[in-house]
Protein backbone atom coordinates (compact mmCIF):
# COMPACT_ATOMS: atom_id res chain seq x y z
CA UNK A 1 0.00 0.00 0.00
CA UNK A 2 1.47 3.36 -1.03
CA UNK A 3 2.14 5.84 1.72
CA UNK A 4 0.32 9.13 1.49
CA UNK A 5 2.75 11.81 0.54
CA UNK A 6 3.03 14.96 2.68
CA UNK A 7 2.94 18.51 1.47
CA UNK A 8 5.24 19.31 -1.42
CA UNK A 9 8.24 21.59 -0.99
CA UNK A 10 6.37 24.39 -2.78
CA UNK A 11 3.39 23.92 -0.47
CA UNK A 12 5.63 24.05 2.61
CA UNK A 13 7.31 27.20 1.32
CA UNK A 14 3.95 28.83 0.64
CA UNK A 15 2.77 27.92 4.14
CA UNK A 16 5.94 29.33 5.68
CA UNK A 17 5.50 32.58 3.77
CA UNK A 18 1.84 32.78 4.80
CA UNK A 19 2.75 32.32 8.49
CA UNK A 20 5.52 34.89 8.27
CA UNK A 21 3.21 37.48 6.70
CA UNK A 22 0.48 36.80 9.29
CA UNK A 23 2.98 37.12 12.14
CA UNK A 24 4.57 40.24 10.66
CA UNK A 25 1.15 41.77 10.18
CA UNK A 26 0.29 41.26 13.84
CA UNK A 27 3.59 42.75 15.01
CA UNK A 28 3.70 45.65 12.56
CA UNK A 29 0.13 46.66 13.36
CA UNK A 30 0.68 46.33 17.10
CA UNK A 31 4.19 47.75 17.48
CA UNK A 32 4.85 49.76 14.32
CA UNK A 33 7.48 49.57 11.62
CA UNK A 34 10.63 50.54 13.50
CA UNK A 35 9.94 48.45 16.62
CA UNK A 36 9.34 45.29 14.58
CA UNK A 37 12.52 43.49 13.57
CA UNK A 38 12.97 40.47 11.32
CA UNK A 39 14.40 38.64 14.36
CA UNK A 40 11.17 39.25 16.26
CA UNK A 41 9.04 38.14 13.31
CA UNK A 42 11.07 34.95 12.92
CA UNK A 43 10.91 34.14 16.63
CA UNK A 44 7.19 34.85 16.94
CA UNK A 45 6.45 32.72 13.86
CA UNK A 46 8.65 29.86 15.09
CA UNK A 47 11.17 30.04 12.26
CA UNK A 48 14.83 30.92 11.85
CA UNK A 49 15.82 34.34 10.58
CA UNK A 50 17.06 32.51 7.49
CA UNK A 51 13.50 31.43 6.75
CA UNK A 52 12.48 35.08 6.73
CA UNK A 53 15.31 36.05 4.38
CA UNK A 54 14.49 33.17 2.04
CA UNK A 55 11.07 34.75 1.55
CA UNK A 56 11.75 38.48 1.94
CA UNK A 57 14.97 40.26 1.04
CA UNK A 58 14.41 43.11 3.51
CA UNK A 59 12.13 44.30 6.28
CA UNK A 60 10.86 46.94 3.85
CA UNK A 61 9.69 44.20 1.46
CA UNK A 62 7.94 42.34 4.26
CA UNK A 63 6.24 45.48 5.56
CA UNK A 64 5.16 46.48 2.05
CA UNK A 65 3.63 43.01 1.64
CA UNK A 66 1.67 43.46 4.87
CA UNK A 67 0.48 46.94 3.88
CA UNK A 68 -0.55 45.71 0.42
CA UNK A 69 -2.55 42.91 2.04
CA UNK A 70 -4.35 45.27 4.42
CA UNK A 71 -5.03 47.78 1.64
CA UNK A 72 -6.47 45.06 -0.60
CA UNK A 73 -8.84 44.02 2.18
CA UNK A 74 -9.96 47.59 2.78
CA UNK A 75 -10.44 48.33 -0.91
CA UNK A 76 -12.50 45.14 -1.09
CA UNK A 77 -14.62 46.29 1.84
CA UNK A 78 -15.34 49.67 0.21
CA UNK A 79 -16.16 48.00 -3.11
CA UNK A 80 -18.51 45.65 -1.27
CA UNK A 81 -20.18 48.59 0.50
CA UNK A 82 -20.91 50.44 -2.75
CA UNK A 83 -21.78 47.26 -4.61
CA UNK A 84 -24.40 46.20 -2.07
CA UNK A 85 -28.03 45.84 -3.01
CA UNK A 86 -30.61 48.28 -1.75
CA UNK A 87 -31.07 52.01 -1.98
CA UNK A 88 -28.35 54.62 -2.34
CA UNK A 89 -28.78 55.44 1.34
CA UNK A 90 -28.43 51.75 2.23
CA UNK A 91 -25.07 51.67 0.42
CA UNK A 92 -23.97 54.87 2.08
CA UNK A 93 -24.89 53.42 5.48
CA UNK A 94 -22.67 50.40 4.80
CA UNK A 95 -19.84 52.75 3.79
CA UNK A 96 -20.41 54.84 6.93
CA UNK A 97 -20.15 51.74 9.12
CA UNK A 98 -16.90 50.78 7.39
CA UNK A 99 -15.50 54.29 7.84
CA UNK A 100 -16.40 54.42 11.52
CA UNK A 101 -14.58 51.20 12.33
CA UNK A 102 -11.66 51.67 9.92
CA UNK A 103 -10.74 55.34 9.40
CA UNK A 104 -8.23 56.06 12.14
CA UNK A 105 -7.61 52.47 13.19
CA UNK A 106 -4.39 53.05 15.19
CA UNK A 107 -2.52 50.00 13.95
CA UNK A 108 -3.13 50.42 10.23
CA UNK A 109 -3.13 54.24 10.16
CA UNK A 110 0.07 54.71 12.12
CA UNK A 111 1.87 51.91 10.29
CA UNK A 112 0.97 53.48 6.93
CA UNK A 113 2.20 56.88 8.12
CA UNK A 114 5.38 55.56 9.70
CA UNK A 115 6.28 53.47 6.66
CA UNK A 116 5.50 56.32 4.25
CA UNK A 117 7.82 58.65 6.18
CA UNK A 118 10.50 55.96 6.30
CA UNK A 119 10.18 55.30 2.57
CA UNK A 120 10.30 58.99 1.66
CA UNK A 121 13.47 59.51 3.66
CA UNK A 122 15.15 56.25 2.66
CA UNK A 123 15.22 55.92 -1.12
CA UNK A 124 13.29 56.96 -4.23
CA UNK A 125 12.55 53.39 -5.34
CA UNK A 126 10.84 52.50 -2.06
CA UNK A 127 8.99 55.82 -2.07
CA UNK A 128 7.70 55.05 -5.56
CA UNK A 129 6.39 51.64 -4.42
CA UNK A 130 4.53 53.31 -1.56
CA UNK A 131 3.19 56.00 -3.91
CA UNK A 132 1.99 53.34 -6.35
CA UNK A 133 -0.08 51.76 -3.57
CA UNK A 134 -1.76 55.12 -3.01
CA UNK A 135 -2.44 55.48 -6.71
CA UNK A 136 -4.14 52.07 -6.75
CA UNK A 137 -6.38 53.24 -3.88
CA UNK A 138 -7.23 56.36 -5.87
CA UNK A 139 -8.00 54.40 -9.02
CA UNK A 140 -10.30 52.02 -7.15
CA UNK A 141 -12.12 54.95 -5.58
CA UNK A 142 -12.43 56.70 -8.96
CA UNK A 143 -14.08 53.62 -10.46
CA UNK A 144 -16.48 53.36 -7.50
CA UNK A 145 -17.45 57.02 -7.76
CA UNK A 146 -18.13 56.71 -11.48
CA UNK A 147 -20.31 53.65 -10.95
CA UNK A 148 -22.23 55.12 -8.03
CA UNK A 149 -22.79 58.45 -9.78
CA UNK A 150 -24.06 56.54 -12.82
CA UNK A 151 -26.45 54.51 -10.65
CA UNK A 152 -27.75 57.71 -9.04
CA UNK A 153 -27.89 59.73 -12.26
CA UNK A 154 -25.54 62.34 -10.82
CA UNK A 155 -22.83 64.36 -12.55
CA UNK A 156 -19.81 64.80 -10.30
CA UNK A 157 -18.76 68.44 -9.78
CA UNK A 158 -15.16 67.66 -10.81
CA UNK A 159 -13.48 64.96 -12.89
CA UNK A 160 -13.84 61.63 -11.08
CA UNK A 161 -10.07 61.26 -10.64
CA UNK A 162 -9.91 64.64 -8.88
CA UNK A 163 -12.87 63.80 -6.64
CA UNK A 164 -11.28 60.45 -5.77
CA UNK A 165 -7.98 62.14 -4.89
CA UNK A 166 -9.74 64.71 -2.72
CA UNK A 167 -11.73 62.03 -0.87
CA UNK A 168 -8.66 59.85 -0.40
CA UNK A 169 -6.72 62.80 1.01
CA UNK A 170 -9.62 63.67 3.31
CA UNK A 171 -9.76 60.07 4.50
CA UNK A 172 -6.02 59.92 5.18
CA UNK A 173 -6.06 63.20 7.07
CA UNK A 174 -9.13 62.25 9.07
CA UNK A 175 -7.56 58.87 9.79
CA UNK A 176 -4.45 60.45 11.27
CA UNK A 177 -6.54 62.82 13.38
CA UNK A 178 -8.77 59.98 14.64
CA UNK A 179 -5.73 57.86 15.48
CA UNK A 180 -4.64 60.69 17.77
CA UNK A 181 -8.15 61.64 18.92
CA UNK A 182 -10.50 58.62 18.79
CA UNK A 183 -13.41 60.81 19.93
CA UNK A 184 -13.56 62.33 16.44
CA UNK A 185 -16.28 60.95 14.18
CA UNK A 186 -15.82 59.64 10.66
CA UNK A 187 -19.19 61.18 9.79
CA UNK A 188 -17.73 64.17 7.91
CA UNK A 189 -16.29 61.82 5.30
CA UNK A 190 -19.65 60.14 4.77
CA UNK A 191 -21.37 63.52 4.54
CA UNK A 192 -18.94 64.72 1.87
CA UNK A 193 -19.61 61.55 -0.14
CA UNK A 194 -23.37 62.11 0.28
CA UNK A 195 -23.04 65.72 -0.84
CA UNK A 196 -21.07 64.73 -3.94
CA UNK A 197 -23.55 62.03 -4.90
CA UNK A 198 -26.82 63.84 -4.17
CA UNK A 199 -28.72 64.79 -7.36
Amino acid sequence: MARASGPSRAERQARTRELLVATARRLFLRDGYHATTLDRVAEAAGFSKGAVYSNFATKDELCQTVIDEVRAEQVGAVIEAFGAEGTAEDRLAVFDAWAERTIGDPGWTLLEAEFAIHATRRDPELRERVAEGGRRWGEALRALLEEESRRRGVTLPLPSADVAEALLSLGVGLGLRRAVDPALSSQPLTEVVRLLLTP
Side-chain angles (χ1 to χ4, degrees):
M1 181 176 181
R3 293 176 58 187
S5 62
S8 68
R9 183 170 185 272
E11 289 170 334
R12 289 194 304 273
Q13 286 177 330
R15 179 61 179 153
T16 297
R17 183 181 174 89
E18 182 181 299
L19 288 171
L20 287 170
V21 171
T23 302
R25 175 174 174 157
R26 178 171 53 83
L27 294 177
F28 279 131
L29 292 176
R30 188 188 71 193
D31 302 330
Y33 173 80
H34 289 290
T36 300
T37 65
L38 293 183
D39 282 332
R40 291 183 63 201
V41 172
E43 181 181 356
F47 295 109
S48 68
K49 191 172 180 180
V52 180
Y53 277 115
S54 70
N55 285 276
F56 302 96
T58 64
K59 184 170 84 165
D60 289 345
E61 182 185 335
L62 177 55
C63 188
Q64 187 67 64
T65 300
V66 168
I67 288 173
D68 287 345
E69 181 180 89
V70 175
R71 280 180 175 169
E73 291 172 4
Q74 298 304 337
V75 168
V78 174
I79 290 172
E80 184 177 344
F82 278 102
E85 295 299 321
T87 67
E89 279 302 310
D90 290 337
R91 292 191 295 278
L92 203 54
V94 175
F95 172 78
D96 186 50
W98 170 84
E100 186 60 34
R101 70 175 176 271
T102 305
I103 300 295
D105 171 78
W108 178 35
T109 302
L110 297 181
L111 177 62
E112 285 258 19
E114 185 181 8
F115 190 64
I117 292 167
H118 164 76
T120 300
R121 289 179 171 165
R122 184 179 171 101
D123 69 74
E125 187 177 323
L126 181 59
R127 181 179 62 196
E128 176 55 27
R129 289 201 301 272
V130 172
E132 178 57 30
R135 287 192 287 269
R136 287 196 299 271
W137 251 115
E139 180 59 26
L141 187 53
R142 180 198 62 75
L144 284 172
L145 285 166
E146 288 179 356
E147 175 61 20
E148 187 65 14
S149 62
R150 184 192 62 74
R151 290 169 81 175
R152 291 179 180 228
V154 172
T155 300
L156 293 171
L158 296 168
S160 58
D162 292 346
V163 176
E165 194 58 44
L167 286 175
L168 183 57
S169 298
L170 174 60
V172 169
L174 181 59
L176 286 170
R177 293 199 63 213
R178 290 191 81 207
V180 174
D181 184 0
L184 290 173
S185 172
S186 66
Q187 194 66 34
L189 180 61
T190 304
E191 291 307 317
V192 170
V193 174
R194 177 181 280 110
L195 183 64
L196 288 167
L197 294 172
T198 298

